[in-house]
Amino acid sequence: SMANIDTTWDRLLSTRSSRTPLLISAQYGYENHWKDVTQVFQPLFTQGTAVTVSNDALGGDPYPGHVKTLKIRYWQLSGQHPAEAAVQEGRELRFDFSSEVHEAYYGAASQVYDITALVQSAFDMFGSFEATNARLREYHEMFNAGTLLPPGVVDPCPYVVKIFCIVCAGRRVYMGKEGEVVLSSMIQ
């Protein structure tokens, strides 16, 4: 029943350590063909070690001849809602769940975008965040995190160097400019 599910979530959320996100599900496949790999993926996710999305890592090739994607849902440290990530075969994930991102912004002058969810997801999955227009668009596709830019807009402020600001737990602030790569360990 729904009441049971709610109680289970409450228990899971209240017992999880503040430094351990909770994996909800993991699926591996393409288009409408998905294999549940939650059991296989759970230890990789929990250990927080680097892993390459591959048939070997995820218990075999469920759909030979197709490029597959790993889709995961999990609770972030600071998240009120489950986060999602879709990472293509061949990409390396470096789980780093130690940075709690409170706020993050990207832009210049009056064109500033809130990228908090993107930065948190990038830190979680890759242990880093790359401040480029192209990478932001890629993060958007991967993390299903709303729309950063209106359709067709490639750059919030063309011909201007964008800056970004990330505020983490303990009010630690990191500021940088377009093109930089920030490791989550830099703002521990």
Side-chain angles (χ1 to χ4, degrees):
S1 77
M2 283 309 288
N4 277 352
I5 291 169
D6 288 345
T7 311
T8 306
W9 275 124
D10 288 345
R11 186 175 52 74
L12 284 168
L13 292 173
S14 64
T15 55
R16 72 188 172 126
S17 128
S18 63
R19 288 279 158 256
T20 311
L22 180 71
L23 180 67
I24 299 167
S25 66
Q27 295 183 307
Y28 187 53
Y30 72 102
E31 290 171 13
N32 296 321
H33 302 81
W34 298 97
K35 179 183 179 200
D36 188 306
V37 292
T38 310
Q39 298 299 313
V40 179
F41 188 64
Q42 180 71 63
L44 303 172
F45 183 83
T46 309
Q47 288 161 16
T49 48
V51 61
T52 299
V53 176
S54 67
N55 298 324
D56 286 348
L58 297 171
D61 189 343
Y63 306 106
H66 294 275
V67 176
K68 288 158 289 295
T69 297
L70 172 68
K71 290 202 309 194
I72 67 170
R73 294 184 79 224
Y74 68 103
W75 288 96
Q76 292 175 327
L77 296 178
S78 55
Q80 300 306 306
H81 304 285
E84 297 179 7
V87 182
Q88 205 169 44
E89 201 174 347
R91 284 297 295 261
E92 185 182 56
L93 299 177
R94 295 183 161 276
F95 304 111
D96 182 346
F97 299 116
S98 56
S99 290
E100 201 165 337
V101 180
H102 287 212
E103 297 171 77
Y105 301 96
Y106 176 77
S110 61
Q111 296 292 310
V112 177
Y113 294 93
D114 183 327
I115 56 168
T116 308
L118 290 187
V119 174
Q120 181 70 72
S121 296
F123 278 177
D124 286 351
M125 293 291 114
F126 302 112
S128 64
F129 165 75
E130 188 177 327
T132 63
N133 294 322
R135 188 66 83 200
L136 285 168
R137 181 159 280 93
E138 198 177 299
Y139 291 151
H140 254 283
E141 289 170 10
M142 276 182 196
F143 304 132
N144 191 16
T147 309
L148 176 73
L149 302 171
V153 176
V154 180
D155 187 332
C157 320
Y159 315 114
V160 177
V161 175
K162 268 67 67 185
I163 59 169
F164 64 90
C165 172
I166 301 171
V167 183
C168 279
R171 310 311 292 168
R172 287 186 296 279
V173 178
Y174 186 95
M175 294 190 73
K177 58 180 190 285
E178 187 176 0
E180 278 188 49
V181 175
V182 188
L183 303 179
S184 52
S185 56
M186 290 159 67
I187 30 182
Q188 295 303 321

